[in-house]
Amino acid sequence: MSIIRKGTLEDLAQVAEIYHHILEREEQGLTSIGWVRGVYPTEETAREALEAGELFVLIQEGVVAAAAKINQEQVPEYRDAQWQYQEAKDEEIMVLHTLVVDPAFAGKGYGSQLVAFYEEYARKQGCRYLRMDTNVNNTSARRLYGHLGYQEVGIVPCTFNGISDVYLVCLEKLLEE
C-alpha cells in the first residue's frame, strides 16, 4: 500500500535520486523528458519545494517512489497559454509541477495515484481549476494526463527552468462540483 504525504528533509536525497535516474535514462536515449542535468531538476528544485511546504512524496516499500510539487503558482509561461477557463481566478487554480516516478517503480500506477492526490488536495483547498505542463517531447506524460482527463490547451515555445528551446504543453482540467 502506498502512502502520499508531505515531503520531509529525509526525503530530499531520494527525490534527487529519482531525478538522477530519469536524467540517466534521458542521456541513454531511453526516454525523452526534456530535462538537462545540473540545470533542471536538481536537488535544489526539491529543496525549494520542501521549504515552501509544497513537496509531496509517494512512499512505497519504505522508499520514495514518486514525488511532485503542488501549489497555486502559475509559472510566467502560462500567460501565453490559451486556457479554456479564462474566467478562473488565481485563488481557484491549483498547479502540479515536476511530477516524477522513479523508473524502478514505473508502470505501477504511481503517477496516476499522485495526480488523484493532487486533484483531491485541490478540491479540499477550494480549487476547481487544475493546471499543469510538460515538455512536448514527454509523450508518456502527455498520454497519462490525457487518459486522466486533462486537455492540452496549447504549446508555448519558451526557455523553461533554464532550458532553452522548450515547447511547453499546457494542460487543464475542471473538477466537477
Side-chain angles (χ1 to χ4, degrees), residues 77 157-166:
E77 293 78 8
C158 59
T159 295
F160 192 67
N161 291 317
I163 303 170
S164 60
D165 300 319
V166 170

mmCIF file with all atom_site columns, all heavy atoms in Angstrom, residues 77 157-166:
data_model
loop_
_atom_site.group_PDB
_atom_site.id
_atom_site.type_symbol
_atom_site.label_atom_id
_atom_site.label_alt_id
_atom_site.label_comp_id
_atom_site.label_asym_id
_atom_site.label_entity_id
_atom_site.label_seq_id
_atom_site.pdbx_PDB_ins_code
_atom_site.Cartn_x
_atom_site.Cartn_y
_atom_site.Cartn_z
_atom_site.occupancy
_atom_site.B_iso_or_equiv
_atom_site.pdbx_formal_charge
_atom_site.auth_seq_id
_atom_site.auth_comp_id
_atom_site.auth_asym_id
_atom_site.auth_atom_id
_atom_site.pdbx_PDB_model_num
ATOM 1  N N   . GLU A 1 77  ? 5.203  31.474 -18.002 1.00 0.00 ? 77  GLU A N   1
ATOM 2  C CA  . GLU A 1 77  ? 4.896  30.981 -19.347 1.00 0.00 ? 77  GLU A CA  1
ATOM 3  C C   . GLU A 1 77  ? 3.404  30.709 -19.536 1.00 0.00 ? 77  GLU A C   1
ATOM 4  O O   . GLU A 1 77  ? 2.913  30.699 -20.663 1.00 0.00 ? 77  GLU A O   1
ATOM 5  C CB  . GLU A 1 77  ? 5.712  29.715 -19.636 1.00 0.00 ? 77  GLU A CB  1
ATOM 6  C CG  . GLU A 1 77  ? 7.202  29.951 -19.739 1.00 0.00 ? 77  GLU A CG  1
ATOM 7  C CD  . GLU A 1 77  ? 7.918  30.115 -18.394 1.00 0.00 ? 77  GLU A CD  1
ATOM 8  O OE1 . GLU A 1 77  ? 7.299  29.897 -17.326 1.00 0.00 ? 77  GLU A OE1 1
ATOM 9  O OE2 . GLU A 1 77  ? 9.114  30.458 -18.425 1.00 0.00 ? 77  GLU A OE2 1
ATOM 10 N N   . PRO A 1 157 ? 6.228  28.003 -26.893 1.00 0.00 ? 157 PRO A N   1
ATOM 11 C CA  . PRO A 1 157 ? 7.695  27.954 -27.039 1.00 0.00 ? 157 PRO A CA  1
ATOM 12 C C   . PRO A 1 157 ? 8.334  28.908 -26.035 1.00 0.00 ? 157 PRO A C   1
ATOM 13 O O   . PRO A 1 157 ? 7.857  30.036 -25.853 1.00 0.00 ? 157 PRO A O   1
ATOM 14 C CB  . PRO A 1 157 ? 7.920  28.423 -28.482 1.00 0.00 ? 157 PRO A CB  1
ATOM 15 C CG  . PRO A 1 157 ? 6.680  29.151 -28.879 1.00 0.00 ? 157 PRO A CG  1
ATOM 16 C CD  . PRO A 1 157 ? 5.566  28.688 -27.996 1.00 0.00 ? 157 PRO A CD  1
ATOM 17 N N   . CYS A 1 158 ? 9.381  28.441 -25.344 1.00 0.00 ? 158 CYS A N   1
ATOM 18 C CA  . CYS A 1 158 ? 9.964  29.268 -24.294 1.00 0.00 ? 158 CYS A CA  1
ATOM 19 C C   . CYS A 1 158 ? 11.310 28.719 -23.831 1.00 0.00 ? 158 CYS A C   1
ATOM 20 O O   . CYS A 1 158 ? 11.743 27.658 -24.241 1.00 0.00 ? 158 CYS A O   1
ATOM 21 C CB  . CYS A 1 158 ? 9.017  29.332 -23.089 1.00 0.00 ? 158 CYS A CB  1
ATOM 22 S SG  . CYS A 1 158 ? 8.643  27.720 -22.355 1.00 0.00 ? 158 CYS A SG  1
ATOM 23 N N   . THR A 1 159 ? 11.943 29.480 -22.957 1.00 0.00 ? 159 THR A N   1
ATOM 24 C CA  . THR A 1 159 ? 13.033 28.976 -22.131 1.00 0.00 ? 159 THR A CA  1
ATOM 25 C C   . THR A 1 159 ? 12.372 28.656 -20.807 1.00 0.00 ? 159 THR A C   1
ATOM 26 O O   . THR A 1 159 ? 11.724 29.515 -20.212 1.00 0.00 ? 159 THR A O   1
ATOM 27 C CB  . THR A 1 159 ? 14.134 30.037 -21.957 1.00 0.00 ? 159 THR A CB  1
ATOM 28 O OG1 . THR A 1 159 ? 14.709 30.285 -23.239 1.00 0.00 ? 159 THR A OG1 1
ATOM 29 C CG2 . THR A 1 159 ? 15.210 29.554 -20.995 1.00 0.00 ? 159 THR A CG2 1
ATOM 30 N N   . PHE A 1 160 ? 12.497 27.417 -20.355 1.00 0.00 ? 160 PHE A N   1
ATOM 31 C CA  . PHE A 1 160 ? 11.744 26.980 -19.174 1.00 0.00 ? 160 PHE A CA  1
ATOM 32 C C   . PHE A 1 160 ? 12.679 26.346 -18.159 1.00 0.00 ? 160 PHE A C   1
ATOM 33 O O   . PHE A 1 160 ? 13.419 25.423 -18.478 1.00 0.00 ? 160 PHE A O   1
ATOM 34 C CB  . PHE A 1 160 ? 10.657 25.982 -19.601 1.00 0.00 ? 160 PHE A CB  1
ATOM 35 C CG  . PHE A 1 160 ? 9.649  25.690 -18.542 1.00 0.00 ? 160 PHE A CG  1
ATOM 36 C CD1 . PHE A 1 160 ? 8.765  26.659 -18.111 1.00 0.00 ? 160 PHE A CD1 1
ATOM 37 C CD2 . PHE A 1 160 ? 9.585  24.442 -17.966 1.00 0.00 ? 160 PHE A CD2 1
ATOM 38 C CE1 . PHE A 1 160 ? 7.826  26.395 -17.125 1.00 0.00 ? 160 PHE A CE1 1
ATOM 39 C CE2 . PHE A 1 160 ? 8.657  24.159 -16.976 1.00 0.00 ? 160 PHE A CE2 1
ATOM 40 C CZ  . PHE A 1 160 ? 7.778  25.140 -16.559 1.00 0.00 ? 160 PHE A CZ  1
ATOM 41 N N   . ASN A 1 161 ? 12.652 26.855 -16.947 1.00 0.00 ? 161 ASN A N   1
ATOM 42 C CA  . ASN A 1 161 ? 13.515 26.361 -15.873 1.00 0.00 ? 161 ASN A CA  1
ATOM 43 C C   . ASN A 1 161 ? 14.984 26.349 -16.305 1.00 0.00 ? 161 ASN A C   1
ATOM 44 O O   . ASN A 1 161 ? 15.730 25.436 -15.953 1.00 0.00 ? 161 ASN A O   1
ATOM 45 C CB  . ASN A 1 161 ? 13.089 24.969 -15.401 1.00 0.00 ? 161 ASN A CB  1
ATOM 46 C CG  . ASN A 1 161 ? 11.763 24.983 -14.681 1.00 0.00 ? 161 ASN A CG  1
ATOM 47 O OD1 . ASN A 1 161 ? 11.509 25.858 -13.858 1.00 0.00 ? 161 ASN A OD1 1
ATOM 48 N ND2 . ASN A 1 161 ? 10.904 24.035 -14.991 1.00 0.00 ? 161 ASN A ND2 1
ATOM 49 N N   . GLY A 1 162 ? 15.384 27.360 -17.077 1.00 0.00 ? 162 GLY A N   1
ATOM 50 C CA  . GLY A 1 162 ? 16.768 27.474 -17.501 1.00 0.00 ? 162 GLY A CA  1
ATOM 51 C C   . GLY A 1 162 ? 17.123 26.655 -18.725 1.00 0.00 ? 162 GLY A C   1
ATOM 52 O O   . GLY A 1 162 ? 18.278 26.636 -19.144 1.00 0.00 ? 162 GLY A O   1
ATOM 53 N N   . ILE A 1 163 ? 16.163 25.978 -19.318 1.00 0.00 ? 163 ILE A N   1
ATOM 54 C CA  . ILE A 1 163 ? 16.400 25.143 -20.501 1.00 0.00 ? 163 ILE A CA  1
ATOM 55 C C   . ILE A 1 163 ? 15.813 25.872 -21.712 1.00 0.00 ? 163 ILE A C   1
ATOM 56 O O   . ILE A 1 163 ? 14.621 26.183 -21.731 1.00 0.00 ? 163 ILE A O   1
ATOM 57 C CB  . ILE A 1 163 ? 15.762 23.748 -20.343 1.00 0.00 ? 163 ILE A CB  1
ATOM 58 C CG1 . ILE A 1 163 ? 16.306 23.060 -19.084 1.00 0.00 ? 163 ILE A CG1 1
ATOM 59 C CG2 . ILE A 1 163 ? 16.008 22.902 -21.580 1.00 0.00 ? 163 ILE A CG2 1
ATOM 60 C CD1 . ILE A 1 163 ? 15.579 21.790 -18.704 1.00 0.00 ? 163 ILE A CD1 1
ATOM 61 N N   . SER A 1 164 ? 16.659 26.127 -22.715 1.00 0.00 ? 164 SER A N   1
ATOM 62 C CA  . SER A 1 164 ? 16.184 26.860 -23.892 1.00 0.00 ? 164 SER A CA  1
ATOM 63 C C   . SER A 1 164 ? 15.516 25.934 -24.899 1.00 0.00 ? 164 SER A C   1
ATOM 64 O O   . SER A 1 164 ? 15.657 24.713 -24.840 1.00 0.00 ? 164 SER A O   1
ATOM 65 C CB  . SER A 1 164 ? 17.347 27.611 -24.543 1.00 0.00 ? 164 SER A CB  1
ATOM 66 O OG  . SER A 1 164 ? 18.338 26.700 -24.940 1.00 0.00 ? 164 SER A OG  1
ATOM 67 N N   . ASP A 1 165 ? 14.769 26.545 -25.802 1.00 0.00 ? 165 ASP A N   1
ATOM 68 C CA  . ASP A 1 165 ? 14.096 25.843 -26.902 1.00 0.00 ? 165 ASP A CA  1
ATOM 69 C C   . ASP A 1 165 ? 13.131 24.770 -26.423 1.00 0.00 ? 165 ASP A C   1
ATOM 70 O O   . ASP A 1 165 ? 13.048 23.683 -26.998 1.00 0.00 ? 165 ASP A O   1
ATOM 71 C CB  . ASP A 1 165 ? 15.122 25.239 -27.873 1.00 0.00 ? 165 ASP A CB  1
ATOM 72 C CG  . ASP A 1 165 ? 16.015 26.298 -28.492 1.00 0.00 ? 165 ASP A CG  1
ATOM 73 O OD1 . ASP A 1 165 ? 15.492 27.380 -28.846 1.00 0.00 ? 165 ASP A OD1 1
ATOM 74 O OD2 . ASP A 1 165 ? 17.227 26.049 -28.600 1.00 0.00 ? 165 ASP A OD2 1
ATOM 75 N N   . VAL A 1 166 ? 12.399 25.085 -25.367 1.00 0.00 ? 166 VAL A N   1
ATOM 76 C CA  . VAL A 1 166 ? 11.382 24.172 -24.840 1.00 0.00 ? 166 VAL A CA  1
ATOM 77 C C   . VAL A 1 166 ? 10.041 24.511 -25.483 1.00 0.00 ? 166 VAL A C   1
ATOM 78 O O   . VAL A 1 166 ? 9.702  25.682 -25.681 1.00 0.00 ? 166 VAL A O   1
ATOM 79 C CB  . VAL A 1 166 ? 11.269 24.298 -23.298 1.00 0.00 ? 166 VAL A CB  1
ATOM 80 C CG1 . VAL A 1 166 ? 10.068 23.538 -22.762 1.00 0.00 ? 166 VAL A CG1 1
ATOM 81 C CG2 . VAL A 1 166 ? 12.552 23.821 -22.641 1.00 0.00 ? 166 VAL A CG2 1
#
